[in-house]
Amino acid sequence: ALIYDEPPPWYYPVRESLGAALLAAEDAKEAEAVFREELAQAPRNPRALSGLVMSLEKQNREDEARLVRVEFERAARKGQMPVDFRPY
């Protein structure tokens, strides 16, 4: 219900904060779903990729986490943020 405005009144995807809160609450499976939903809306979002890596690691899904980490590193190399970025 927000009206168009510049700069936008909500300047970053809320799913990033929700995913971080779920990780902090030790709900890695739900955090994974939130980060995947964000990536469906904004592919290659480095913060969502980083959160997805962390949620997969907490579920001991290391092989999947490694694959997503490669995508994160590609996104980070495009100048969006440093490769060692860990938002959560």
Side-chain angles (χ1 to χ4, degrees):
L2 295 173
I3 61 170
Y4 177 82
D5 196 13
E6 287 192 31
W10 202 261
Y11 58 92
Y12 74 98
V14 178
R15 287 183 202 93
E16 294 173 12
S17 294
L18 175 58
L22 290 166
L23 282 173
E26 301 295 324
D27 192 349
K29 186 173 183 168
E30 190 63 29
E32 175 191 354
V34 169
F35 289 121
R36 288 190 186 279
E37 185 179 336
E38 173 59 23
L39 289 165
Q41 297 296 315
R44 301 184 57 107
N45 174 333
R47 288 180 295 274
L49 288 166
S50 178
L52 180 56
V53 168
M54 292 178 71
S55 65
L56 292 169
E57 288 173 345
K58 286 184 180 243
Q59 295 176 73
N60 298 314
R61 294 163 57 191
E62 295 297 327
D63 291 339
E64 291 173 78
R66 267 192 291 281
L67 293 173
V68 176
R69 186 181 311 281
V70 170
E71 289 303 313
F72 166 73
E73 290 171 356
R74 284 184 191 144
R77 272 196 298 270
K78 295 219 177 226
Q80 297 175 10
M81 62 186 48
V83 172
D84 61 351
F85 176 75
R86 298 289 283 195
Y88 312 113

